Amino acid sequence: MSFGPPPSLYTQSSVAADQRRRKRRRTVLLCAVAAVVAPALAVGAWLWWPGTASDDAKPTAAPAQHRLDVRETVERRPASTQGVMAVRLSTDDLPPGEAHEMPGLWATDKILAKGINRTLVGVAIGTDAGLGEEAWKLRLGGPICGKTRHVTVENRTAVLFRDSADKESLCNHVAFVDLDDGKLVWQAEFPVSGYVDKPDAGSQWDPGVTLTHATVTVTWGDGTDAYDMDRGKLRWRVTSREDCISQGAGGGRALAVRFRCYDADDPQSRSTFEIRALDPRTGRSRWTYTPAVGVKDVRIISTTPTVLATSAGDVGITEIISLDARGKYRTTIPLQGGAYVAECTDEITYLATEECPSLAVGAGQVFLTSKEQGDLIHNANWIIGFDLKTGHSVKKFESGPNTLLRPLRMSGDRLLALRESSDRISPMALVSLNPRTGAETPYFYFSLPQEGELFSTTEFADTVVQNGRLFFGAKEAQGPADADSKAWVWLAFGIESAAAKKP
């Protein structure tokens, strides 16, 4: 396998118009060296940032899991810190002025999966594929309108899709999909509700989807539905109160549903929220937590333990709230007027109650990033862990000069993070941070060209770490602005250690 020069992410590049020259360029791409990761690898084997130390202790082993559990994998330090391209999906067929939404990014040990408008595609690890060269392709009945980051131990996940190819049709179907082979395990239709008697897509309460043990849960406004993972049979339905709508849920080891409540006699009154923990088997409520009046938004960062991100202002998360196993308040961690950053996915298009890509919860802490210090090139930040019982800071991981640190996810009792290079001299890296000792361990170094730098931002791309690989996927793909030019666009790609074993 080889990968050629990196195409542009959102910018246009001149490509030959006739089919013969396009085929020739494709051949050259596949036969060239992996230039995307070549820069900085010469220094990647020895380059190190101030204040870091290797952590040779083995991370906690992955928990024993049932096949229908939401997967919790523990990544291991690879034998080589040299990063190489593992997989890529790109295209040069987007018409001028055309844009496609690309919701969802998932990975297994064999496949990188991506949502593209109304289609799910799977690309085999170790391949450089264009559209039409995927390992599998699953076309849904309409555009994807809801997704979850969760994947089961059997490498299955769920998406929501619209009633027809019309982007303005109702979002009222759920599909459960096998990511290894692209097979539709089952699909089901769920009700819709809205703030008018006969809701259309413009007045429909946004539905959401998540996964817990053996259960796919859909919130659709006037109710919450739970489906059996194996058969797609409706297990239970919890109907919302007249003055509260179910608006998103958090999954994983447990299930928590967010409700937005309002005064039915006064539609203009300020809404409030409730977080309810439901039994995934029966739908029965285990506890209810009500944030303070005046909170304008609530996100469910984690369900075990329960950690919420709340917004008391007009824009952005202002504090983190920790609850105990019975839903009782434990502590509040204020973001100190922006000194710490909590970014959550925009919910205008997809109801993503539990997707906050700049936060991670584990080892009894919530990990936040500080506000960036410096300018666009010479900048720095740090990740700090806050104790979920006391709210006090515990460990601080500094990025060092001209780099930024971003939490990705927990891996056992370690925090996986992305080191982003801002000066284009230092390489980027996937690293493991030990919350107990403060040690940092590099997994592999890599570098991206200028055209691919948007992939490292949460605004433009999704990021997944799975089976020793780091994956990036664009949230939107755009064709060239000029009708006489073509754009070679990256849709998704993955980086791995040079010592990685191929599937």
Side-chain angles (χ1 to χ4, degrees), residues 119 203 281-282 390 392 412 426 432 469:
T119 303
S203 64
R281 298 170 299 174
T282 64
T390 65
H392 298 158
S426 305
S432 171
R469 302 181 179 96

Side-chain angles (χ1 to χ4, degrees), residues 160-224:
L160 306 181
F161 63 95
R162 297 192 180 278
D163 195 46
S164 70
D166 183 1
K167 291 184 178 180
E168 300 303 319
S169 60
L170 291 168
C171 181
N172 61 348
H173 288 80
V174 56
F176 197 53
V177 180
D178 191 306
L179 296 173
D180 280 326
D181 57 21
K183 291 183 179 178
L184 179 65
V185 181
W186 53 262
Q187 63 178 329
E189 182 176 350
F190 56 86
V192 296
S193 63
Y195 41 86
V196 295
D197 292 337
K198 294 183 179 180
D200 55 25
S203 64
Q204 178 187 2
W205 293 123
D206 291 329
V209 62
T210 194
L211 307 182
T212 47
H213 173 74
T215 307
V216 178
T217 302
V218 176
T219 60
W220 47 273
D222 285 349
T224 301

Side-chain angles (χ1 to χ4, degrees), residues 273-293:
F273 293 90
E274 290 183 1
I275 303 298
R276 301 180 199 166
L278 303 183
D279 186 329
R281 298 170 299 174
T282 64
R284 294 176 181 172
S285 179
R286 291 175 169 170
W287 52 257
T288 298
Y289 173 77
T290 303
V293 175

Side-chain angles (χ1 to χ4, degrees), residues 206-496:
D206 291 329
V209 62
T210 194
L211 307 182
T212 47
H213 173 74
T215 307
V216 178
T217 302
V218 176
T219 60
W220 47 273
D222 285 349
T224 301
D225 290 0
Y227 298 87
D228 175 85
M229 274 186 183
D230 280 333
R231 297 171 296 170
K233 180 180 178 181
L234 183 65
R235 279 185 163 186
W236 49 261
R237 171 175 294 166
V238 173
T239 304
S240 303
R241 298 199 318 259
E242 182 181 355
D243 60 343
C244 289
I245 58 172
S246 58
Q247 198 176 52
R253 293 187 186 181
L255 175 63
V257 177
R258 181 183 67 174
F259 290 84
R260 184 186 290 269
C261 305
Y262 57 94
D263 186 345
D265 297 326
D266 182 9
Q268 302 302 318
S269 63
R270 179 180 294 177
S271 60
T272 58
F273 293 90
E274 290 183 1
I275 303 298
R276 301 180 199 166
L278 303 183
D279 186 329
R281 298 170 299 174
T282 64
R284 294 176 181 172
S285 179
R286 291 175 169 170
W287 52 257
T288 298
Y289 173 77
T290 303
V293 175
V295 168
K296 296 184 177 181
D297 194 12
V298 180
R299 307 296 180 95
I300 305 171
I301 303 174
S302 169
T303 59
T304 311
T306 302
V307 181
L308 310 175
T310 64
S311 176
D314 292 329
V315 179
I317 303 300
T318 56
E319 57 191 17
I320 306 298
I321 295 176
S322 171
L323 308 180
D324 67 16
R326 297 175 295 173
K328 302 298 183 182
Y329 171 84
R330 288 205 291 186
T331 191
T332 295
I333 301 165
L335 300 192
Q336 300 179 10
Y340 296 98
V341 180
E343 297 176 346
C344 294
T345 302
D346 192 350
E347 295 191 5
I348 294 177
T349 305
Y350 309 101
L351 187 61
T353 304
E354 58 185 338
E355 293 192 19
C356 294
S358 67
L359 304 171
V361 176
Q365 300 174 50
V366 58
F367 298 95
L368 304 170
T369 56
S370 71
K371 183 180 180 180
E372 296 179 19
Q373 310 294 317
D375 55 35
L376 291 176
I377 298 177
H378 304 291
N379 56 7
N381 73 342
W382 59 85
I383 293 175
I384 191 163
F386 291 90
D387 188 279
L388 292 175
K389 292 182 180 180
T390 65
H392 298 158
S393 59
V394 181
K395 287 292 181 182
K396 180 179 180 180
F397 301 92
E398 296 190 11
S399 69
N402 306 330
T403 61
L404 297 172
L405 272 174
R406 173 160 66 92
L408 295 176
R409 72 166 174 88
M410 297 302 298
S411 174
D413 57 356
R414 305 292 200 271
L415 173 65
L416 298 179
L418 175 67
R419 272 193 172 275
E420 302 178 49
S421 172
S422 55
D423 60 9
R424 299 177 186 167
I425 297 174
S426 305
M428 299 178 70
L430 174 65
V431 300
S432 171
L433 307 177
N434 188 328
R436 182 177 58 84
T437 65
E440 176 177 332
T441 301
Y443 274 25
F444 49 75
Y445 302 96
F446 63 98
S447 185
L448 296 178
Q450 184 176 357
E451 295 85 356
E453 289 177 353
L454 286 177
F455 273 103
S456 65
T457 66
T458 58
E459 181 180 358
F460 293 102
D462 295 311
T463 308
V464 170
V465 180
Q466 187 60 37
N467 294 102
R469 302 181 179 96
L470 173 63
F471 300 94
F472 300 91
K475 293 183 178 181
E476 184 182 76
Q478 297 179 350
D482 186 351
D484 296 326
S485 65
K486 286 188 175 292
W488 196 298
V489 181
W490 277 8
L491 305 180
F493 69 95
I495 306 293
E496 67 184 358

